[in-house]
Amino acid sequence: MSITLWIVATVLVAAALIYKRASLAMFSAGLVIMFAIGSAIDIVGPVLWVILAIVLVPLNLAPIRLNLLTKPILSAYRKVMPEMSDTERDALEAGTVWWDGDLFSGDPDWKKLHDVPKAELTAEEKAFLEGPCEEVCKMLNDWEVTHELTDMPEHVWQYLKDEKFFAMIIKKEYGGLEFSAYAQSRVLQKLAGVSTVLASTVGVPNSLGPGELLQHYGTKEQQDHYLPRLASGDEIPCFALTSPEAGSDAGAIPDSGVVCKGEWNGEEIVGIKLNFNKRYITLAPVATVLGLAFKMYDPDNLIGEEEELGITCALIPRDTKGVEIGRRHFPLNVPFQNGPIRGNDVFVPLDYIIGGQKNAGKGWRMLVECLSVGRSITLPSNSAGGIKSIALATGAYSRIRRQFKLPIGKMEGVEEPMARIAGNAYLMDAVTMLSTKGIDLGEKPSVIGAIAKYHMTEKLRSCMDDAMDIHGGKGICLGPNNYLGRGYQGVPVAITVEGANILTRSMMIYGQGAIRCHPFVLKEMEASAEQGPEALKKFDKAVFGHIGFAMSNFVRSVFYGFGGHRLSSVPASDETRKYYQQMNRFSANMALLSDIAMGKLGGSLKRKERVSARLGDMLSYLYIGSCILKRFHDQGRIKEDLPLVHWAMQDTLHKLQEAQLEMLANFGGVGSFMRAIMYPLGRIAKRPSDKNDHKIARMLMSPNDVRTRLGEGQFLSPEGHFGFLEQTLQDVIAAEPLYDKVCKAAGKRFTFTQLDQIGAKGKELGVLSDDEVALLERTEAGRLRTINVDDFAPEDLLAGKAAFDYALKNLKKGEAA
Ligand SMILES: Cc1cc2nc3c(=O)[nH]c(=O)nc-3n(C[C@H](O)[C@H](O)[C@H](O)COP(=O)(O)OP(=O)(O)OC[C@H]3O[C@@H](n4cnc5c(N)ncnc54)[C@H](O)[C@@H]3O)c2cc1C
């Protein structure tokens, strides 16, 4: 064996051991064997053995390693890592790590993902979706809600209370529905397809709020008192955290609760004097009980030694003296109940604190824990439901609406946004399926919740833009006949609430993800915060594990860069195989880049929001890709769905790749070096092709199984806009051959308008039956309703005081006459 061959063989053995994440002892043994072979063939002499010993002995002998290596690393680490604030610690420790941890491993276990049980509904949940949920969709007229009443009508409110829509999360023992997270998601999806006001009103009490907080942290007395009343709708809750001075920085609320003596029911007691000014609070104008977050102080040490107890959550009945409530904000013409609440010297007993006095100061932790669950369900489901309905509607509309003598959906330019809407509808539903299944399995996925909230609401925004573009003026002119405008107007609400999106992307996803999901970082941080020999040992284990992990991801990234990912084993042999393999590659890349970013920037990484955002994007797209593959797998790998899977995976992987490249382009010399290693053969992920877009657009324009699966669970009864469009789509398709027949018989190419007259012509020429003529008449009526928009007498558009003054003026005129 030549020297070169031995060197190459030794490097390959070392690389293979690192790739496979062999233990330090195994890795050392591998090198010793290679050196022994080298000695046997006279390549390795004593000098090389001494060098090897100098490297391996301290690494493998724990006492030497701890003193010689780990101690200095630990003290350097402590200098670089900033102190964590209590709120940061609470946010980090809240929730659990699930599949997001695998994605951070650089080596996701796809079988484990496939083995996650499929999300399914119980018979009771199905009955609710087909019964009360369908019914309330029929009852609601969104134009009446958003324009005429700026609220839901009383009978709809009552129906929601009676049917326990506000009690989906409340346990059965308290009279609630106790639905799975997946069922809640399906209910919200259906409602969101009909009305944003309806979906928001139902979403909020089932998300973060008194119900959720009481079930987790309430005292028995609080649970027994409130939960049955919340379940029956006798109490309407809201939750007030946001203040004018503290929006995104919610931990900085200035609202205070000072422990003091005061009078309560004629007796002097120790209680809390609250002063607060909250805004943007959903359901506040109609709420009967307020969940209130405030900072608690005990300056006279009436309940303990601590003077500043921290953020605390309490339940305050609406009619408590000093509470000002009832005024409304007007969120972008999507007038769900939302408004300010103020409190001036509101005195309440200590047992108004959720969980009682022992929970004073624990409010932040309670909030972040509950938020991780709610954030995975409400807004992602509302967004997915909205886009599922709009995907079907856009497909139908683009077949019904013709320009240049063609359905507009057949124009290549329109195919592109249509494919985006359909591909995203598939993807968004996939994300809600996996995320809610995680919750149903007992997870509290804080990182996944942030990913789902950010990306689903951003996709809602881009798909709403696409749908508006395709509908042209039809989407713009508001009125009872417009099924897009209010959803479009409501998008910024979804973007802003539950963690405004820029902040969520820039700080939360990766900020939590890096520390929570990384297999070693949290362990290092915890060990470095402790003292003594045990802490040193823990740190040693974490830091050397971390080094091995980073080396493995480096070797994998180099190997995959040259196409080695195509050799990685994955549990799929169909057209999706390449996606699993690309995900393996990107997972190793992300884990490596994450370590490089943390190594280069240390504690300042949390201020480098653009680096954090792009690393967060990588983690997010890996998660989204997993959801798509899981959905395809769970639904039986249906071949006909592949165009949607291709679109969703290609779009996701392409965005992942671009996030990586953008990060590298902004990362100086290290970035250039890493790009050379990770992309020696150039980009690997392509955007969805025009050919695939074409297939999707065609699929979306006519009834078929793929399209039915895409819109599964949405409100499609003919009473609603979308059901009507579905009927008209079917009619148009049935009318096309009849129209052709009449044109042929008449020897003339008519335009595809005035179908009733074409029917009459067909009858006259004797080529159409009465039924066929009736079909053409119905199609024409449906076609006109689909393409027409509303118009109004000018006075009908007057709102509020102007409308009142106008009515009064007319009344006076009438009286005078
Ligand atoms: C319709 C509606 C309903 C709501 N319902 C409730 C409710 O029921 N209860 C409740 O307590 N609150 C509620 N909110 C409040 C909501 O949670 C806040 O609006 C949200 O937290 C953002 O605060 P802000 O609007 O003051 O924006 P700001 O905090 O002023 O943020 C402005 C912009 O700056 C960005 N930003 C801020 N800090 C950073 C950072 N560090 N890095 C990057 N970007 C940053 C944000 O992402 C945002 O884009 C509601 C809000 C609305 C509009």
Side-chain angles (χ1 to χ4, degrees):
M1 192 190 272
S2 74
I3 293 187
T4 320
L5 209 57
W6 177 82
I7 293 174
V8 171
T10 306
V11 169
L12 284 179
V13 167
L17 288 166
I18 293 171
Y19 178 100
K20 281 281 176 198
R21 299 184 175 169
S23 65
L24 188 56
M26 186 98 94
F27 175 73
S28 306
L31 282 189
V32 169
I33 292 170
M34 288 312 292
F35 270 56
I37 294 172
S39 285
I41 54 175
D42 278 347
I43 291 172
V44 174
V47 178
L48 282 183
W49 275 110
V50 170
I51 294 172
L52 185 70
I54 290 172
V55 175
L56 292 187
V57 171
L59 278 177
N60 283 281
L61 293 181
I64 304 179
R65 188 179 67 230
L66 283 172
N67 285 307
L68 212 65
L69 297 169
T70 313
K71 250 187 198 166
I73 299 175
L74 177 58
S75 77
Y77 185 92
R78 282 181 176 141
K79 277 186 203 136
V80 182
M81 287 310 285
E83 285 271 308
M84 225 191 285
S85 69
D86 286 347
T87 45
E88 279 174 314
R89 190 182 308 280
D90 281 347
L92 273 179
E93 288 173 3
T96 57
V97 175
W98 184 45
W99 177 246
D100 37 342
D102 273 69
L103 293 173
F104 227 99
S105 71
D107 186 19
D109 178 355
W110 297 110
K111 191 170 168 323
K112 181 173 147 191
L113 181 73
H114 283 185
D115 287 347
V116 171
K118 184 179 164 185
E120 272 168 327
L121 297 168
T122 63
E124 188 192 347
E125 292 165 344
K126 262 190 213 146
F128 186 83
L129 275 155
E130 286 159 17
C133 201
E134 181 84 4
E135 195 51 38
V136 79
C137 291
K138 285 184 193 161
M139 285 161 81
L140 199 102
N141 173 344
D142 199 43
W143 178 247
E144 181 190 46
V145 171
T146 58
H147 184 71
E148 292 165 4
L149 301 176
T150 57
D151 192 6
M152 293 187 299
E154 191 44 47
H155 69 279
V156 173
W157 274 102
Q158 197 53 51
Y159 188 79
L160 293 174
K161 290 176 189 172
D162 292 347
E163 295 298 333
K164 304 193 175 177
F165 276 85
F166 300 138
M168 289 193 285
I169 54 166
I170 295 181
K171 293 203 172 81
K172 288 218 163 99
E173 58 181 293
Y174 295 109
L177 295 173
E178 200 176 349
F179 278 174
S180 63
Y182 178 60
Q184 289 171 50
S185 167
R186 302 315 273 190
V187 170
L188 292 174
Q189 285 197 10
K190 190 161 186 161
L191 303 182
V194 172
S195 159
T196 309
V197 173
L198 179 61
S200 310
T201 306
V202 171
V204 167
N206 286 298
S207 181
L208 175 66
E212 177 83 348
L213 291 169
L214 277 170
Q215 292 201 116
H216 283 93
Y217 311 102
T219 60
K220 176 94 176 63
E221 292 75 34
Q222 289 170 336
Q223 291 176 338
D224 288 346
H225 174 75
Y226 277 115
L227 291 174
R229 299 166 61 78
L230 288 168
S232 62
D234 291 340
E235 297 273 11
I236 295 289
C238 69
F239 190 79
L241 172 64
T242 306
S243 299
E245 301 296 349
S248 300
D249 188 7
I253 42 171
D255 313 286
S256 65
V258 177
V259 181
C260 61
K261 290 187 180 157
E263 202 188 302
W264 186 257
N265 293 339
E267 276 178 43
E268 190 185 69
I269 59 160
V270 173
I272 319 166
K273 194 194 285 175
L274 296 160
N275 279 286
F276 53 91
N277 179 13
K278 303 290 194 183
R279 67 175 180 183
Y280 304 153
I281 309 307
T282 300
L283 293 186
V286 295
T288 59
V289 55
L290 335 174
L292 184 76
F294 57 91
K295 282 199 177 144
M296 190 157 156
Y297 302 91
D298 182 16
D300 300 328
N301 298 117
L302 292 177
I303 59 168
E305 286 174 10
E306 262 180 288
E307 289 185 12
E308 292 193 12
L309 290 133
I311 293 181
T312 303
C313 297
L315 289 182
I316 318 290
R318 180 190 181 98
D319 53 11
T320 309
K321 195 168 153 224
V323 173
E324 269 178 56
I325 191 167
R327 291 184 65 78
R328 291 181 67 178
H329 298 305
F330 191 20
L332 279 171
N333 283 330
V334 186
F336 57 89
Q337 293 287 340
N338 182 282
I341 314 175
R342 296 180 189 100
N344 197 5
D345 287 345
V346 179
F347 184 75
V348 296
L350 285 166
D351 58 17
Y352 275 19
I353 296 173
I354 298 177
Q357 192 182 323
K358 71 173 187 324
N359 276 357
K362 302 217 172 112
W364 188 253
R365 186 166 194 127
M366 286 154 63
L367 292 180
V368 284
E369 271 181 9
C370 289
L371 196 60
S372 64
V373 172
R375 224 184 345 222
S376 305
I377 305 175
T378 315
L379 288 162
S381 306
N382 287 358
S383 307
I387 294 309
K388 279 167 69 177
S389 290
I390 279 164
L392 297 198
T394 306
Y397 181 79
S398 58
R399 177 79 182 247
I400 298 164
R401 172 69 172 164
R402 288 175 173 240
Q403 290 292 285
F404 305 99
K405 299 189 178 143
L406 270 182
I408 56 166
K410 291 195 175 166
M411 322 282 183
E412 276 197 11
V414 179
E415 285 180 349
E416 187 182 348
M418 275 176 74
R420 264 201 301 266
I421 296 173
N424 275 316
Y426 185 90
L427 175 161
M428 292 165 83
D429 209 5
V431 171
T432 62
M433 285 170 186
L434 186 62
S435 311
T436 53
K437 186 68 213 180
I439 294 168
D440 290 332
L441 292 172
E443 301 292 339
K444 287 189 173 179
S446 50
V447 177
I448 286 176
I451 292 173
K453 190 273 159 173
Y454 173 80
H455 287 274
M456 297 312 100
T457 53
E458 288 296 333
K459 284 177 182 297
L460 170 76
R461 164 149 65 187
S462 77
C463 292
M464 285 306 307
D465 280 350
D466 281 335
M468 286 296 271
D469 289 353
I470 293 173
H471 281 76
K474 168 76 186 173
I476 292 167
C477 291
L478 290 173
N481 210 11
N482 182 322
Y483 47 84
L484 276 184
R486 294 308 192 204
Y488 175 77
Q489 287 180 308
V491 167
V493 176
I495 298 285
T496 302
V497 300
E498 292 192 12
N501 273 9
I502 299 178
L503 168 100
T504 302
R505 172 172 180 249
S506 312
M507 286 180 74
M508 290 162 80
I509 296 177
Y510 182 74
Q512 288 190 14
I515 301 176
R516 288 307 311 263
C517 304
H518 193 289
F520 298 104
V521 167
L522 189 57
K523 289 180 190 145
E524 286 165 354
M525 289 172 79
E526 283 167 352
S528 84
E530 293 171 22
Q531 296 296 336
E534 274 312 304
L536 186 67
K537 276 188 200 155
K538 276 193 214 165
F539 186 78
D540 175 79
K541 199 169 169 212
V543 87
F544 280 96
H546 194 159
I547 292 169
F549 175 71
M551 285 168 66
S552 156
N553 288 322
F554 180 83
V555 168
R556 278 164 195 252
S557 291
V558 174
F559 179 56
Y560 292 163
F562 285 98
H565 63 282
R566 294 197 188 95
L567 302 176
S568 61
S569 96
V570 294
S573 51
D574 57 13
E575 288 177 45
T576 61
R577 182 177 172 79
K578 58 177 181 280
Y579 301 134
Y580 287 89
Q581 291 176 327
Q582 287 183 357
M583 296 267 287
N584 281 344
R585 172 172 168 161
F586 285 129
S587 170
N589 290 167
M590 182 201 58
L592 177 63
L593 288 179
S594 179
D595 276 332
I596 290 173
M598 283 191 266
K600 186 165 180 237
L601 300 171
S604 68
L605 177 54
K606 73 176 172 190
R607 287 188 299 280
K608 289 281 179 195
E609 290 193 349
R610 299 193 73 174
V611 175
S612 174
R614 286 172 180 138
L615 284 164
D617 288 347
M618 294 174 212
L619 178 59
S620 302
Y621 292 127
L622 282 169
Y623 178 68
I624 293 170
S626 311
C627 296
I628 302 162
L629 294 173
K630 172 75 173 147
R631 174 180 179 171
F632 182 63
H633 180 76
D634 281 351
Q635 293 188 329
R637 311 189 85 83
I638 304 167
K639 226 169 164 242
E640 289 70 32
D641 287 353
L642 275 171
L644 291 170
V645 177
H646 287 317
W647 190 96
M649 281 309 297
Q650 286 167 12
D651 183 68
T652 301
L653 292 171
H654 182 260
K655 287 191 168 124
L656 203 175
Q657 168 184 271
E658 296 311 302
Q660 250 180 27
L661 289 170
E662 277 174 20
M663 179 187 156
L664 295 175
N666 287 284
F667 221 58
V670 178
S672 309
F673 174 70
M674 290 313 300
R675 185 183 166 136
I677 282 179
M678 284 162 47
Y679 289 93
L681 307 177
R683 285 173 159 83
I684 57 157
K686 293 198 184 81
R687 294 184 54 200
S689 69
D690 295 356
K691 202 169 150 195
N692 196 51
D693 282 4
H694 172 78
K695 275 192 205 161
I696 294 178
R698 287 298 155 103
M699 173 280 292
L700 206 56
M701 284 196 295
S702 57
N704 54 63
D705 290 349
V706 180
R707 191 172 179 280
T708 304
R709 271 191 295 280
L710 196 65
E712 200 200 326
Q714 293 309 102
F715 178 62
L716 295 175
S717 152
E719 284 103 320
H721 287 300
F722 300 125
F724 181 80
L725 273 169
E726 290 298 292
Q727 182 58 56
T728 306
L729 172 67
Q730 286 173 24
D731 288 348
V732 163
I733 290 169
E736 281 169 356
L738 305 181
Y739 155 85
D740 285 339
K741 215 196 274 184
V742 179
C743 291
K744 197 171 165 204
K748 188 175 168 197
R749 202 78 198 149
F750 301 107
T751 55
F752 195 81
T753 57
Q754 299 182 320
L755 298 175
D756 48 342
Q757 291 185 25
I758 289 174
K761 185 86 189 159
K763 176 104 178 140
E764 186 190 314
L765 293 169
V767 290
L768 293 185
S769 68
D770 287 347
D771 284 352
E772 289 170 331
V773 173
L775 173 73
L776 284 173
E777 285 168 358
R778 191 176 76 208
T779 309
E780 182 60 10
R783 200 186 67 79
L784 289 178
R785 181 174 148 186
T786 303
I787 64 169
N788 284 341
V789 300
D790 301 289
D791 47 46
F792 301 88
E795 59 274 17
D796 287 348
L797 290 177
L798 295 176
K801 190 169 175 311
F804 180 75
D805 289 347
Y806 178 85
L808 199 66
K809 206 167 91 190
N810 274 356
L811 194 71
K812 281 183 184 160
K813 257 196 221 161
E815 278 171 5

